[in-house]
Coordinates of all heavy atoms in Angstrom, one line a residue:
M114 N -23.0 -14.7 -1.1 CA -22.9 -13.3 -0.7 C -21.6 -12.7 -1.3 O -20.6 -13.3 -1.2 CB -22.9 -13.1 0.8 CG -22.7 -11.7 1.2 SD -22.9 -11.3 2.9 CE -22.0 -12.4 3.9
V115 N -21.7 -11.5 -1.8 CA -20.6 -10.7 -2.3 C -20.3 -9.6 -1.4 O -21.2 -8.8 -1.1 CB -20.8 -10.2 -3.8 CG1 -19.7 -9.4 -4.3 CG2 -21.1 -11.4 -4.7
I116 N -19.1 -9.4 -1.0 CA -18.6 -8.3 -0.2 C -17.8 -7.4 -1.1 O -16.8 -7.8 -1.6 CB -17.9 -8.7 1.0 CG1 -18.7 -9.7 1.9 CG2 -17.3 -7.6 1.8 CD1 -18.0 -10.3 3.0
C117 N -18.1 -6.1 -1.2 CA -17.3 -5.2 -2.0 C -17.0 -4.0 -1.1 O -18.0 -3.4 -0.5 CB -18.0 -4.8 -3.2 SG -17.1 -3.7 -4.3
S118 N -15.8 -3.6 -0.9 CA -15.4 -2.6 0.0 C -14.4 -1.7 -0.7 O -13.6 -2.2 -1.5 CB -14.8 -3.1 1.3 OG -15.7 -4.1 1.9
L119 N -14.3 -0.4 -0.3 CA -13.3 0.5 -0.8 C -12.7 1.2 0.4 O -13.3 1.7 1.3 CB -14.0 1.5 -1.7 CG -13.1 2.6 -2.4 CD1 -12.2 1.9 -3.4 CD2 -14.0 3.6 -3.1
F120 N -11.3 1.2 0.3 CA -10.5 1.8 1.4 C -9.6 2.8 0.8 O -9.1 2.6 -0.3 CB -9.7 0.7 2.1 CG -10.5 -0.4 2.7 CD1 -10.8 -1.5 2.0 CD2 -10.9 -0.3 4.1 CE1 -11.5 -2.6 2.5 CE2 -11.7 -1.4 4.6 CZ -12.0 -2.5 3.9
F121 N -9.2 3.8 1.6 CA -8.2 4.7 1.2 C -7.1 4.7 2.2 O -7.4 4.7 3.4 CB -8.7 6.2 1.0 CG -9.5 6.3 -0.2 CD1 -10.9 6.2 -0.1 CD2 -8.9 6.6 -1.4 CE1 -11.7 6.4 -1.3 CE2 -9.7 6.8 -2.6 CZ -11.1 6.6 -2.5
L122 N -5.9 4.6 1.8 CA -4.8 4.4 2.7 C -3.8 5.5 2.5 O -3.4 5.9 1.4 CB -4.1 3.0 2.4 CG -2.9 2.6 3.2 CD1 -3.3 2.4 4.6 CD2 -2.3 1.4 2.6
F123 N -3.4 6.1 3.6 CA -2.5 7.2 3.6 C -1.1 6.8 4.1 O -1.0 5.7 4.7 CB -3.0 8.4 4.4 CG -4.3 8.9 4.0 CD1 -5.5 8.4 4.5 CD2 -4.4 9.7 2.9 CE1 -6.7 8.9 4.1 CE2 -5.6 10.2 2.4 CZ -6.8 9.7 3.0
L124 N -0.1 7.5 3.8 CA 1.3 7.1 4.0 C 1.6 6.6 5.4 O 2.2 5.6 5.6 CB 2.3 8.3 3.7 CG 3.7 8.0 3.8 CD1 4.2 6.9 2.9 CD2 4.6 9.2 3.6
N125 N 1.0 7.3 6.4 CA 1.3 6.9 7.8 C 0.7 5.6 8.2 O 0.9 5.0 9.2 CB 0.9 8.0 8.7 CG -0.5 8.4 8.7 OD1 -1.2 8.1 7.7 ND2 -1.0 9.0 9.7
H126 N -0.2 5.0 7.3 CA -0.9 3.7 7.7 C -0.4 2.5 6.8 O -0.8 1.4 7.1 CB -2.4 3.8 7.4 CG -3.0 4.8 8.3 ND1 -3.7 5.9 7.9 CD2 -3.1 4.9 9.7 CE1 -4.2 6.6 8.9 NE2 -3.8 6.0 10.0
F127 N 0.6 2.8 5.9 CA 0.9 1.7 5.0 C 1.6 0.5 5.6 O 1.5 -0.6 5.1 CB 1.6 2.2 3.7 CG 3.1 2.3 3.9 CD1 3.9 1.3 3.4 CD2 3.7 3.4 4.5 CE1 5.3 1.3 3.5 CE2 5.1 3.5 4.6 CZ 5.9 2.5 4.1
L128 N 2.2 0.7 6.7 CA 2.8 -0.5 7.4 C 2.0 -1.0 8.5 O 2.4 -1.9 9.2 CB 4.2 -0.1 7.9 CG 5.3 0.1 6.9 CD1 6.6 0.6 7.5 CD2 5.6 -1.2 6.2
D129 N 0.8 -0.5 8.7 CA -0.1 -0.9 9.7 C -0.7 -2.2 9.4 O -1.6 -2.4 8.5 CB -1.2 0.2 9.9 CG -2.1 -0.1 11.1 OD1 -1.9 -1.1 11.7 OD2 -3.0 0.7 11.3
L130 N -0.2 -3.3 10.1 CA -0.7 -4.6 9.8 C -2.2 -4.8 10.2 O -2.9 -5.7 9.7 CB 0.1 -5.7 10.5 CG 1.5 -5.8 10.0 CD1 2.4 -6.8 10.8 CD2 1.5 -6.2 8.5
E131 N -2.7 -3.9 11.1 CA -4.1 -4.0 11.5 C -5.0 -3.6 10.2 O -6.1 -4.1 10.0 CB -4.4 -3.0 12.6 CG -3.9 -3.6 13.9 CD -4.3 -2.6 15.1 OE1 -5.2 -1.8 15.0 OE2 -3.6 -2.8 16.1
F132 N -4.5 -2.7 9.4 CA -5.2 -2.4 8.2 C -5.2 -3.6 7.2 O -6.3 -3.9 6.7 CB -4.5 -1.2 7.4 CG -5.2 -0.9 6.1 CD1 -6.4 -0.2 6.1 CD2 -4.6 -1.3 4.9 CE1 -7.0 0.1 4.9 CE2 -5.2 -1.0 3.7 CZ -6.4 -0.3 3.7
V133 N -4.1 -4.3 7.1 CA -4.1 -5.5 6.3 C -5.1 -6.6 6.9 O -5.8 -7.3 6.2 CB -2.7 -6.1 6.2 CG1 -2.7 -7.4 5.4 CG2 -1.8 -5.1 5.6
D134 N -5.1 -6.7 8.2 CA -6.1 -7.6 8.9 C -7.5 -7.2 8.5 O -8.4 -8.1 8.3 CB -5.9 -7.6 10.4 CG -4.7 -8.3 10.9 OD1 -4.2 -9.2 10.1 OD2 -4.2 -8.0 11.9
Q135 N -7.8 -5.9 8.5 CA -9.1 -5.4 8.1 C -9.5 -5.9 6.7 O -10.6 -6.2 6.4 CB -9.2 -3.9 8.2 CG -10.6 -3.3 8.0 CD -10.6 -1.8 8.2 OE1 -9.6 -1.2 8.5 NE2 -11.7 -1.2 8.0
L136 N -8.5 -5.8 5.8 CA -8.7 -6.3 4.4 C -9.0 -7.7 4.3 O -9.7 -8.2 3.5 CB -7.5 -5.9 3.5 CG -7.2 -4.5 3.2 CD1 -5.9 -4.3 2.5 CD2 -8.3 -3.9 2.5
L137 N -8.4 -8.5 5.3 CA -8.6 -10.0 5.3 C -9.8 -10.4 6.1 O -10.1 -11.6 6.1 CB -7.3 -10.6 5.9 CG -6.1 -10.7 5.0 CD1 -4.9 -11.1 5.7 CD2 -6.4 -11.6 3.8
E138 N -10.5 -9.5 6.8 CA -11.5 -9.9 7.7 C -12.4 -11.0 7.3 O -12.6 -12.0 8.0 CB -12.3 -8.6 8.1 CG -13.3 -8.9 9.2 CD -14.1 -7.7 9.5 OE1 -13.8 -6.6 9.1 OE2 -15.1 -7.8 10.2
P139 N -13.0 -10.9 6.1 CA -14.0 -12.0 5.8 C -13.4 -13.4 5.6 O -14.1 -14.4 5.6 CB -14.6 -11.5 4.5 CG -14.3 -10.1 4.4 CD -13.0 -9.9 5.1
I140 N -12.0 -13.4 5.4 CA -11.4 -14.8 5.1 C -10.3 -15.0 6.1 O -9.5 -15.9 5.9 CB -10.9 -14.9 3.7 CG1 -9.8 -13.9 3.4 CG2 -12.0 -14.8 2.7 CD1 -9.0 -14.2 2.2
K141 N -10.2 -14.3 7.2 CA -9.1 -14.4 8.1 C -8.8 -15.8 8.7 O -7.8 -16.1 9.2 CB -9.1 -13.3 9.2 CG -10.2 -13.5 10.2 CD -10.2 -12.3 11.1 CE -11.5 -12.4 12.0 NZ -11.5 -11.2 12.9
N142 N -9.8 -16.6 8.7 CA -9.7 -18.0 9.2 C -9.4 -19.0 8.2 O -9.3 -20.2 8.5 CB -10.9 -18.4 10.0 CG -11.1 -17.5 11.2 OD1 -10.2 -17.0 11.9 ND2 -12.4 -17.2 11.5
S143 N -9.1 -18.6 7.0 CA -8.8 -19.6 5.9 C -7.3 -20.1 6.1 O -6.5 -19.5 6.8 CB -9.0 -19.0 4.5 OG -7.9 -18.2 4.2
Q144 N -7.0 -21.3 5.5 CA -5.7 -21.9 5.6 C -4.6 -21.0 5.0 O -3.5 -21.0 5.5 CB -5.7 -23.2 5.0 CG -6.5 -24.3 5.7 CD -6.4 -25.6 5.0 OE1 -6.2 -25.7 3.8 NE2 -6.6 -26.7 5.7
S145 N -4.9 -20.2 4.0 CA -3.9 -19.5 3.3 C -3.9 -18.0 3.7 O -3.3 -17.2 3.0 CB -4.1 -19.6 1.8 OG -5.4 -19.2 1.4
S146 N -4.6 -17.6 4.7 CA -4.7 -16.2 5.1 C -3.4 -15.6 5.4 O -3.1 -14.4 5.1 CB -5.7 -16.0 6.2 OG -5.3 -16.6 7.4
Y147 N -2.4 -16.3 6.0 CA -1.1 -15.8 6.3 C -0.4 -15.4 5.0 O 0.2 -14.3 4.9 CB -0.2 -16.8 7.1 CG 1.2 -16.3 7.2 CD1 1.5 -15.2 8.1 CD2 2.2 -16.8 6.4 CE1 2.8 -14.7 8.2 CE2 3.5 -16.3 6.5 CZ 3.8 -15.3 7.4 OH 5.1 -14.8 7.5
L148 N -0.4 -16.3 4.0 CA 0.3 -16.0 2.7 C -0.4 -14.8 2.0 O 0.2 -14.0 1.4 CB 0.3 -17.2 1.8 CG 1.1 -18.4 2.3 CD1 0.9 -19.6 1.5 CD2 2.6 -18.0 2.4
I149 N -1.7 -14.7 2.1 CA -2.5 -13.6 1.4 C -2.1 -12.3 2.1 O -1.9 -11.3 1.5 CB -4.0 -13.9 1.4 CG1 -4.3 -15.1 0.6 CG2 -4.7 -12.7 1.0 CD1 -5.7 -15.6 0.7
K150 N -2.0 -12.4 3.5 CA -1.7 -11.2 4.3 C -0.3 -10.7 3.9 O -0.1 -9.5 3.7 CB -1.7 -11.5 5.8 CG -1.4 -10.4 6.7 CD -1.5 -10.8 8.1 CE -1.3 -9.6 9.0 NZ -1.5 -9.9 10.4
L151 N 0.6 -11.6 3.7 CA 2.0 -11.3 3.3 C 2.0 -10.6 2.0 O 2.7 -9.6 1.8 CB 2.9 -12.5 3.4 CG 4.4 -12.4 3.1 CD1 5.0 -11.5 4.2 CD2 5.0 -13.7 3.0
G152 N 1.3 -11.2 1.0 CA 1.2 -10.6 -0.3 C 0.6 -9.3 -0.4 O 1.0 -8.3 -1.1
L153 N -0.5 -9.1 0.4 CA -1.2 -7.8 0.4 C -0.3 -6.7 1.0 O -0.2 -5.6 0.5 CB -2.5 -7.9 1.3 CG -3.7 -8.5 0.6 CD1 -4.8 -8.7 1.6 CD2 -4.1 -7.5 -0.5
H154 N 0.4 -7.1 2.1 CA 1.3 -6.1 2.8 C 2.4 -5.7 1.8 O 2.7 -4.5 1.7 CB 1.9 -6.7 4.0 CG 2.7 -5.7 4.8 ND1 4.0 -5.7 4.8 CD2 2.3 -4.7 5.7 CE1 4.4 -4.7 5.6 NE2 3.4 -4.1 6.1
E155 N 3.0 -6.7 1.1 CA 4.0 -6.4 0.1 C 3.5 -5.5 -1.0 O 4.2 -4.5 -1.4 CB 4.6 -7.7 -0.5 CG 5.7 -7.5 -1.5 CD 7.0 -6.9 -0.9 OE1 7.2 -7.0 0.3 OE2 7.8 -6.4 -1.7
A156 N 2.3 -5.7 -1.5 CA 1.7 -4.9 -2.6 C 1.5 -3.5 -2.1 O 1.7 -2.5 -2.8 CB 0.4 -5.5 -3.0
L157 N 1.0 -3.3 -0.8 CA 0.8 -2.0 -0.3 C 2.1 -1.2 -0.1 O 2.2 -0.1 -0.4 CB 0.1 -2.1 1.1 CG -1.4 -2.6 1.0 CD1 -1.9 -2.9 2.4 CD2 -2.2 -1.5 0.3
V158 N 3.2 -1.9 0.4 CA 4.5 -1.3 0.6 C 5.0 -0.9 -0.8 O 5.5 0.3 -1.0 CB 5.5 -2.2 1.3 CG1 6.9 -1.7 1.2 CG2 5.0 -2.4 2.7
N159 N 4.9 -1.7 -1.8 CA 5.4 -1.4 -3.2 C 4.6 -0.2 -3.7 O 5.2 0.7 -4.4 CB 5.2 -2.6 -4.1 CG 6.3 -3.6 -3.9 OD1 7.3 -3.4 -3.2 ND2 6.0 -4.8 -4.4
A160 N 3.3 -0.1 -3.5 CA 2.5 1.0 -4.0 C 2.9 2.3 -3.4 O 3.1 3.3 -4.1 CB 1.0 0.7 -3.7
V161 N 3.2 2.3 -2.1 CA 3.6 3.5 -1.4 C 5.1 3.9 -1.8 O 5.4 5.0 -2.1 CB 3.5 3.4 0.1 CG1 4.1 4.5 0.9 CG2 2.0 3.3 0.5
K162 N 5.9 2.9 -1.7 CA 7.4 3.1 -1.9 C 7.7 3.4 -3.4 O 8.4 4.4 -3.7 CB 8.1 1.9 -1.5 CG 9.6 2.1 -1.4 CD 10.3 0.9 -0.8 CE 11.8 1.0 -0.7 NZ 12.4 -0.2 -0.1
H163 N 7.2 2.6 -4.3 CA 7.6 2.7 -5.7 C 6.6 3.5 -6.5 O 7.0 4.3 -7.4 CB 7.8 1.3 -6.3 CG 8.8 0.5 -5.6 ND1 10.2 0.8 -5.7 CD2 8.7 -0.6 -4.9 CE1 10.8 -0.1 -4.9 NE2 10.0 -0.9 -4.5
G164 N 5.3 3.3 -6.3 CA 4.3 4.1 -7.0 C 4.2 5.5 -6.6 O 4.3 6.4 -7.4
N165 N 4.0 5.7 -5.3 CA 3.8 7.1 -4.8 C 5.1 7.8 -4.3 O 5.1 8.9 -3.9 CB 2.8 7.1 -3.6 CG 1.4 6.9 -4.0 OD1 1.1 6.8 -5.2 ND2 0.5 6.7 -3.1
K166 N 6.2 7.1 -4.5 CA 7.6 7.6 -4.1 C 7.6 8.2 -2.7 O 8.2 9.2 -2.4 CB 8.0 8.7 -5.1 CG 8.0 8.2 -6.5 CD 9.1 7.3 -6.9 CE 9.1 7.0 -8.4 NZ 9.6 5.7 -8.7
L167 N 6.9 7.5 -1.8 CA 6.8 8.0 -0.3 C 6.3 9.4 -0.2 O 6.6 10.0 0.8 CB 8.2 7.8 0.3 CG 8.7 6.4 0.4 CD1 10.2 6.4 0.9 CD2 7.9 5.5 1.3
D168 N 5.5 9.9 -1.1 CA 4.9 11.2 -1.0 C 3.7 11.2 -0.1 O 2.7 10.6 -0.4 CB 4.5 11.7 -2.4 CG 4.0 13.1 -2.5 OD1 3.7 13.7 -1.4 OD2 3.9 13.6 -3.6
P169 N 3.8 11.9 1.0 CA 2.7 11.9 2.0 C 1.5 12.5 1.5 O 0.4 12.4 2.1 CB 3.3 12.6 3.2 CG 4.4 13.4 2.7 CD 4.9 12.7 1.5
K170 N 1.5 13.3 0.4 CA 0.3 13.9 -0.2 C -0.5 12.9 -1.0 O -1.6 13.2 -1.3 CB 0.7 15.1 -1.0 CG 1.3 16.2 -0.2 CD 1.8 17.3 -1.1 CE 2.6 18.3 -0.3 NZ 3.6 18.9 -1.1
K171 N 0.1 11.8 -1.3 CA -0.6 10.8 -2.2 C -1.1 9.7 -1.3 O -0.6 9.4 -0.3 CB 0.4 10.2 -3.2 CG 0.9 11.3 -4.2 CD 1.8 10.7 -5.2 CE 2.2 11.7 -6.3 NZ 3.1 11.1 -7.2
N172 N -2.2 9.1 -1.8 CA -2.8 8.0 -1.1 C -2.9 6.7 -2.0 O -2.6 6.8 -3.1 CB -4.2 8.4 -0.5 CG -5.2 8.8 -1.5 OD1 -5.2 8.3 -2.7 ND2 -6.0 9.8 -1.2
I173 N -3.3 5.7 -1.3 CA -3.5 4.4 -2.0 C -5.0 4.0 -1.9 O -5.6 4.2 -0.9 CB -2.7 3.3 -1.3 CG1 -1.2 3.6 -1.2 CG2 -2.9 1.9 -1.9 CD1 -0.5 3.7 -2.5
R174 N -5.5 3.6 -3.0 CA -6.9 3.1 -3.0 C -6.9 1.6 -3.1 O -6.3 1.0 -4.0 CB -7.6 3.7 -4.3 CG -9.0 3.3 -4.4 CD -9.5 4.0 -5.7 NE -10.8 3.4 -6.0 CZ -11.6 3.8 -7.0 NH1 -11.1 4.6 -7.9 NH2 -12.7 3.2 -7.2
V175 N -7.7 1.0 -2.2 CA -7.8 -0.5 -2.2 C -9.2 -0.9 -2.3 O -10.1 -0.4 -1.6 CB -7.2 -1.0 -0.9 CG1 -7.3 -2.6 -0.9 CG2 -5.8 -0.6 -0.7
R176 N -9.5 -1.7 -3.3 CA -10.9 -2.2 -3.5 C -10.8 -3.7 -3.2 O -9.9 -4.4 -3.7 CB -11.4 -2.0 -4.9 CG -12.7 -2.6 -5.2 CD -13.2 -2.3 -6.6 NE -13.6 -0.9 -6.7 CZ -13.3 -0.1 -7.7 NH1 -12.6 -0.6 -8.7 NH2 -13.6 1.1 -7.7
R177 N -11.7 -4.1 -2.4 CA -11.8 -5.5 -2.0 C -13.1 -6.1 -2.4 O -14.2 -5.6 -2.1 CB -11.7 -5.6 -0.5 CG -11.9 -7.0 0.1 CD -11.8 -7.0 1.6 NE -13.0 -6.4 2.1 CZ -13.3 -6.2 3.4 NH1 -12.4 -6.5 4.3 NH2 -14.4 -5.7 3.8
I178 N -13.1 -7.2 -3.2 CA -14.3 -7.9 -3.6 C -14.1 -9.4 -3.2 O -13.1 -10.0 -3.6 CB -14.5 -7.8 -5.1 CG1 -14.5 -6.4 -5.6 CG2 -15.7 -8.6 -5.5 CD1 -14.5 -6.2 -7.1
I179 N -15.0 -9.9 -2.4 CA -15.0 -11.2 -1.9 C -16.3 -11.9 -2.2 O -17.3 -11.4 -1.9 CB -14.6 -11.3 -0.4 CG1 -13.3 -10.6 -0.2 CG2 -14.7 -12.7 0.1 CD1 -12.9 -10.5 1.2
T180 N -16.2 -13.0 -2.9 CA -17.4 -13.8 -3.2 C -17.2 -15.2 -2.6 O -16.1 -15.5 -2.1 CB -17.6 -14.0 -4.8 OG1 -16.7 -14.9 -5.3 CG2 -17.5 -12.6 -5.5
P181 N -18.2 -16.1 -2.7 CA -18.0 -17.5 -2.2 C -16.9 -18.2 -2.9 O -16.3 -19.2 -2.4 CB -19.3 -18.1 -2.4 CG -20.3 -17.0 -2.4 CD -19.6 -15.9 -3.0
N182 N -16.6 -17.8 -4.2 CA -15.6 -18.6 -5.0 C -14.3 -17.9 -5.2 O -13.3 -18.6 -5.6 CB -16.2 -18.9 -6.3 CG -17.5 -19.7 -6.2 OD1 -17.5 -20.7 -5.5 ND2 -18.5 -19.4 -6.9
W183 N -14.1 -16.6 -5.0 CA -12.9 -15.9 -5.2 C -12.8 -14.6 -4.5 O -13.8 -14.1 -4.0 CB -12.6 -15.7 -6.7 CG -13.8 -15.1 -7.5 CD1 -14.8 -15.8 -8.2 CD2 -14.1 -13.8 -7.6 NE1 -15.7 -15.0 -8.7 CE2 -15.3 -13.7 -8.4 CE3 -13.6 -12.6 -7.2 CZ2 -15.9 -12.5 -8.7 CZ3 -14.2 -11.4 -7.5 CH2 -15.3 -11.3 -8.3
C184 N -11.5 -14.1 -4.4 CA -11.3 -12.9 -3.7 C -10.4 -12.0 -4.6 O -9.5 -12.5 -5.2 CB -10.5 -13.1 -2.4 SG -11.3 -14.2 -1.3
V185 N -10.6 -10.7 -4.6 CA -9.8 -9.8 -5.4 C -9.5 -8.6 -4.5 O -10.4 -8.0 -3.9 CB -10.6 -9.3 -6.7 CG1 -9.8 -8.2 -7.4 CG2 -10.9 -10.5 -7.6
W186 N -8.3 -8.2 -4.5 CA -7.9 -6.9 -3.9 C -7.2 -6.1 -5.0 O -6.2 -6.5 -5.5 CB -6.9 -7.2 -2.7 CG -7.5 -7.8 -1.6 CD1 -8.1 -7.1 -0.5 CD2 -7.6 -9.2 -1.3 NE1 -8.6 -8.0 0.4 CE2 -8.3 -9.3 -0.1 CE3 -7.2 -10.3 -1.9 CZ2 -8.5 -10.5 0.5 CZ3 -7.5 -11.5 -1.4 CH2 -8.1 -11.6 -0.1
Q187 N -7.7 -5.0 -5.3 CA -7.2 -4.1 -6.3 C -6.5 -2.9 -5.6 O -7.2 -2.2 -4.9 CB -8.3 -3.6 -7.3 CG -7.8 -2.7 -8.3 CD -8.9 -2.0 -9.1 OE1 -9.9 -1.6 -8.5 NE2 -8.7 -2.0 -10.4
I188 N -5.2 -2.8 -5.8 CA -4.4 -1.7 -5.1 C -4.0 -0.7 -6.2 O -3.3 -1.1 -7.1 CB -3.2 -2.3 -4.4 CG1 -3.8 -3.3 -3.3 CG2 -2.4 -1.3 -3.7 CD1 -2.7 -4.2 -2.7
Q189 N -4.4 0.5 -6.0 CA -4.1 1.6 -7.0 C -3.3 2.7 -6.3 O -3.8 3.3 -5.3 CB -5.4 2.1 -7.5 CG -5.3 3.1 -8.6 CD -6.6 3.5 -9.2 OE1 -7.7 3.2 -8.6 NE2 -6.6 4.2 -10.2
D190 N -2.2 3.0 -6.8 CA -1.4 4.2 -6.3 C -1.6 5.4 -7.2 O -2.2 5.3 -8.2 CB 0.1 3.8 -6.0 CG 0.8 3.3 -7.3 OD1 0.6 4.0 -8.3 OD2 1.4 2.3 -7.2
Q191 N -0.9 6.5 -6.9 CA -1.0 7.7 -7.7 C 0.3 7.9 -8.5 O 0.6 9.0 -8.9 CB -1.3 8.9 -6.8 CG -2.7 8.8 -6.3 CD -3.1 10.0 -5.4 OE1 -2.3 10.4 -4.5 NE2 -4.2 10.7 -5.7
G192 N 1.0 6.8 -8.7 CA 2.2 6.9 -9.5 C 2.0 7.0 -11.0 O 0.8 6.9 -11.5
N193 N 3.1 7.1 -11.8 CA 3.0 7.2 -13.2 C 2.9 5.9 -13.9 O 2.9 5.9 -15.2 CB 4.2 8.1 -13.7 CG 4.1 9.5 -13.3 OD1 3.1 10.0 -13.1 ND2 5.3 10.1 -13.0
G194 N 3.0 4.8 -13.2 CA 2.9 3.5 -13.9 C 4.3 3.0 -14.2 O 5.3 3.7 -14.0
L195 N 4.4 1.9 -14.8 CA 5.6 1.3 -15.2 C 5.9 1.5 -16.7 O 4.9 1.5 -17.5 CB 5.6 -0.2 -15.0 CG 5.4 -0.7 -13.6 CD1 5.3 -2.2 -13.5 CD2 6.6 -0.3 -12.7
E196 N 7.1 1.7 -17.0 CA 7.5 1.8 -18.4 C 7.7 0.4 -19.0 O 8.5 -0.4 -18.5 CB 8.8 2.6 -18.6 CG 9.2 2.8 -20.0 CD 10.5 3.6 -20.2 OE1 10.8 4.4 -19.3 OE2 11.2 3.3 -21.1
I197 N 6.8 0.1 -19.9 CA 6.9 -1.2 -20.5 C 7.7 -1.1 -21.8 O 7.4 -0.4 -22.7 CB 5.5 -1.8 -20.9 CG1 4.6 -1.7 -19.7 CG2 5.6 -3.2 -21.5 CD1 4.9 -2.7 -18.6
K198 N 8.8 -1.9 -21.8 CA 9.7 -1.8 -23.0 C 9.2 -2.9 -24.0 O 8.9 -4.0 -23.6 CB 11.1 -2.2 -22.6 CG 11.8 -1.1 -21.8 CD 13.2 -1.4 -21.4 CE 13.8 -0.3 -20.6 NZ 15.2 -0.6 -20.2
K199 N 9.1 -2.4 -25.2 CA 8.6 -3.3 -26.3 C 9.7 -4.3 -26.6 O 10.8 -4.0 -26.8 CB 8.3 -2.5 -27.5 CG 7.5 -3.2 -28.5 CD 7.0 -2.3 -29.6 CE 6.1 -3.0 -30.6 NZ 5.7 -2.1 -31.7
K200 N 9.3 -5.6 -26.6 CA 10.3 -6.6 -26.9 C 10.4 -6.7 -28.4 O 9.5 -6.6 -29.2 CB 9.8 -8.0 -26.3 CG 9.8 -8.1 -24.8 CD 9.5 -9.5 -24.4 CE 9.6 -9.5 -22.9 NZ 9.3 -10.9 -22.4
E201 N 11.7 -7.0 -28.8 CA 11.9 -7.2 -30.2 C 11.4 -8.6 -30.6 O 11.7 -9.6 -30.0 CB 13.4 -7.1 -30.4 CG 13.8 -7.2 -31.9 CD 15.3 -7.1 -32.1 OE1 16.0 -6.3 -31.3 OE2 15.9 -7.9 -32.9
T202 N 10.7 -8.6 -31.7 CA 10.2 -9.9 -32.2 C 11.1 -10.5 -33.2 O 11.7 -9.7 -34.0 CB 8.8 -9.7 -32.8 OG1 8.9 -8.8 -33.9 CG2 7.8 -9.2 -31.8
I203 N 11.3 -11.7 -33.1 CA 12.2 -12.4 -34.0 C 11.3 -13.2 -35.0 O 10.4 -14.0 -34.5 CB 13.2 -13.3 -33.3 CG1 14.0 -12.5 -32.3 CG2 14.0 -14.1 -34.2 CD1 14.9 -13.3 -31.3
N204 N 11.6 -13.1 -36.2 CA 10.8 -13.8 -37.2 C 11.5 -15.1 -37.6 O 12.6 -15.1 -38.2 CB 10.6 -12.9 -38.5 CG 9.7 -13.5 -39.5 OD1 9.1 -14.5 -39.2 ND2 9.5 -12.8 -40.6
Y205 N 10.9 -16.2 -37.2 CA 11.5 -17.5 -37.4 C 10.8 -18.1 -38.7 O 9.7 -18.6 -38.6 CB 11.3 -18.5 -36.3 CG 12.1 -18.1 -35.0 CD1 11.4 -17.5 -34.0 CD2 13.5 -18.3 -34.9 CE1 12.1 -17.1 -32.8 CE2 14.2 -17.9 -33.8 CZ 13.5 -17.4 -32.8 OH 14.2 -17.0 -31.6
Q206 N 11.5 -17.9 -39.8 CA 10.9 -18.5 -41.0 C 11.8 -19.6 -41.5 O 13.0 -19.5 -41.5 CB 10.8 -17.4 -42.1 CG 9.8 -16.3 -41.7 CD 9.7 -15.3 -42.9 OE1 10.5 -15.2 -43.7 NE2 8.6 -14.5 -42.8
K207 N 11.2 -20.6 -42.0 CA 12.0 -21.7 -42.6 C 12.6 -21.3 -43.9 O 11.9 -20.6 -44.7 CB 11.1 -22.9 -42.8 CG 10.6 -23.6 -41.6 CD 9.8 -24.8 -41.9 CE 9.4 -25.5 -40.6 NZ 8.6 -26.7 -40.9
K208 N 13.8 -21.6 -44.2 CA 14.5 -21.3 -45.4 C 14.5 -22.4 -46.3 O 14.6 -23.5 -46.0 CB 15.8 -20.7 -45.1 CG 15.8 -19.4 -44.4 CD 17.2 -18.8 -44.3 CE 17.1 -17.5 -43.6 NZ 18.3 -16.9 -43.5

């Protein structure tokens, strides 16, 4: 069975651990659920704090997909994204 859910999170709920529990509901009894809960909470805090810059007009979109073999939580904020600096490539040629 595949469970796919979509949630919208607003600023006043981002620290609500009950919301994180709701995201974990189908697997809350697994051995690693505490570590997953910790990671999800950290990702939500980062999305609100760094992505949305604590703007109460912006929300967070969370998509949860759970199958018998794997789990995915996609967290999307309304920020501008990260600036990726291009790394300088070094050409190692034999002389």
Side-chain angles (χ1 to χ4, degrees):
M114 174 173 47
V115 175
I116 300 170
C117 185
S118 310
L119 183 64
F120 302 88
F121 287 93
L122 181 64
F123 300 96
L124 181 62
N125 58 340
H126 296 119
F127 86 97
L128 285 175
D129 185 359
L130 291 177
E131 288 181 18
F132 177 76
V133 179
D134 286 335
Q135 185 179 0
L136 291 175
L137 285 171
E138 184 183 349
I140 63 160
K141 66 182 171 185
N142 294 326
S143 75
Q144 289 180 335
S145 56
S146 63
Y147 172 76
L148 294 174
I149 295 169
K150 181 177 183 174
L151 184 65
L153 280 172
H154 188 259
E155 181 67 20
L157 292 167
V158 169
N159 285 344
V161 170
K162 189 174 180 182
H163 301 293
N165 287 355
K166 307 288 187 208
L167 298 172
D168 185 343
K170 297 177 188 147
K171 295 182 178 180
N172 60 34
I173 303 296
R174 178 180 170 182
V175 180
R176 177 178 288 136
R177 173 184 71 184
I178 303 169
I179 299 175
T180 74
N182 298 316
W183 48 266
C184 305
V185 174
W186 290 270
Q187 179 187 42
I188 299 170
Q189 182 178 13
D190 58 49
Q191 293 181 306
N193 293 327
L195 297 173
E196 181 181 329
I197 307 293
K198 293 182 180 180
K199 193 173 185 179
K200 290 186 177 182
E201 183 179 322
T202 57
I203 300 172
N204 188 1
Y205 293 103
Q206 294 180 346
K207 290 184 179 180
K208 292 185 180 183

